[in-house]
Amino acid sequence: GDSVTQMEGPVTLSEEAFLTINCTYTATGYPSLFWYVQYPGEGLQLLLKATKADDKGSNKGFEATYRKETTSFHLEKGSVQVSDSAVYFCALIRYNFNKFYFGSGTKLNVKP
Amino acid sequence: EAGVAQSPRYKIIEKRQSVAFWCNPISGHATLYWYQQILGQGPKLLIQFQNNGVVDDSQLPKDRFSAERLKGVDSTLKIQPAKLEDSAVYLCASSLELTSSYNEQFFGPGTRLTVL
């Protein structure tokens, strides 16, 4: 069945450090891929998405590229800020199905 | 534009008690979702409505969980009786009408349930 695997956290970085959070997926067909962010006490917010192979999603300095050959969608940011501290979820949805499959989440702590 | 509203934000009950959660989706959104998010895991879809009809409830434990969306707007999710393993955050999300292409889901802040 469809599934998403992402690296376990927590990930602790100093401000301005480079961030990578790994995400790989298993799915039949051609899913769309997403990164959601959950700040403390809030609901999930869409961070970025990519709907086909080689697409790059980007938002707020975060980027992720849909790699079909490696079934990956790793999240990157060149310089993290304390305000980026949150839990990040990788997710997929298959075409014609509006059902998300979420990874288990990766908590990011950014220290000043 | 107002977001997805949920209440209560927190609830503590004892096992075997009943509990209900309420969700008000974004105005005009025909599709509504309830997710269960257990600590340390990603959200898992429990049930999906299109207007007041159920589209997918394959992962809803129907012996104890029920949900309704009578007028195609607000929704309630009920657990009766609750078990310890039901402790989780219950998220509600909504999106525009279900179509063959993806419509973004907008999530509410969730209700954190603790079963003692």
Side-chain angles (χ1 to χ4, degrees):
Chain A
D2 296 353
S3 66
V4 175
T5 302
Q6 59 184 107
M7 62 187 287
E8 288 189 20
V11 173
T12 301
L13 296 173
S14 297
E15 210 165 20
E16 299 183 5
F18 184 86
L19 168 71
T20 300
I21 300 178
N22 291 336
C23 170
T24 57
Y25 68 90
T26 301
T28 55
Y30 304 96
S32 293
L33 303 174
F34 304 80
W35 278 100
Y36 273 81
V37 59
Q38 188 173 35
Y39 297 103
E42 299 184 14
L44 277 74
Q45 301 174 25
L46 178 64
L47 181 60
L48 54 85
K49 67 180 181 184
T51 57
K52 61 183 186 295
D54 300 325
D55 267 4
K56 177 184 284 188
S58 61
N59 186 25
K60 299 180 181 178
F62 290 89
E63 292 184 341
T65 301
Y66 188 145
R67 301 285 188 199
K68 191 171 186 298
E69 64 276 12
T70 55
T71 61
S72 66
F73 192 56
H74 304 322
L75 182 68
E76 296 181 336
K77 187 175 185 182
S79 175
V80 294
Q81 305 300 313
V82 172
S83 57
D84 294 327
S85 297
V87 181
Y88 292 82
F89 291 92
C90 186
L92 70 81
I93 200 166
R94 272 196 282 149
Y95 175 75
N96 212 29
F97 295 90
N98 277 263
K99 182 174 180 177
F100 271 114
Y101 292 87
F102 284 92
S104 56
T106 302
K107 185 172 184 179
L108 171 65
N109 295 317
V110 181
K111 296 182 175 180
Chain B
E1 178 181 272
V4 177
Q6 290 188 247
S7 68
R9 293 295 308 275
Y10 305 92
K11 189 74 177 177
I12 300 173
I13 63 173
E14 298 199 347
K15 60 183 179 183
R16 291 188 290 273
Q17 285 187 321
S18 301
V19 65
F21 313 126
W22 174 81
C23 172
N24 186 11
I26 292 173
S27 178
H29 281 193
T31 311
L32 185 146
Y33 312 77
W34 282 103
Y35 291 85
Q36 180 191 58
Q37 185 180 9
I38 293 173
L39 186 65
Q41 299 181 20
K44 181 185 80 173
L45 181 69
L46 292 176
I47 189 167
Q48 177 182 348
F49 292 94
Q50 173 82 337
N51 296 310
N52 60 353
V54 175
V55 175
D56 183 352
D57 63 357
S58 57
Q59 298 199 84
L60 186 73
K62 298 180 186 63
D63 58 333
R64 298 183 300 106
F65 286 64
S66 64
E68 60 183 14
R69 194 184 183 200
L70 292 176
K71 297 183 179 179
V73 180
D74 294 6
S75 176
T76 56
L77 176 69
K78 297 178 181 177
I79 308 175
Q80 181 179 5
K83 292 185 176 181
L84 296 176
E85 59 261 36
D86 298 332
S87 294
V89 175
Y90 291 85
L91 296 168
C92 180
S94 71
S95 67
L96 292 171
E97 186 169 358
L98 194 65
T99 65
S100 60
S101 60
Y102 170 68
N103 284 313
E104 182 177 346
Q105 293 185 25
F106 294 86
F107 287 81
T111 297
R112 182 177 297 278
L113 172 67
T114 302
V115 182
L116 303 176

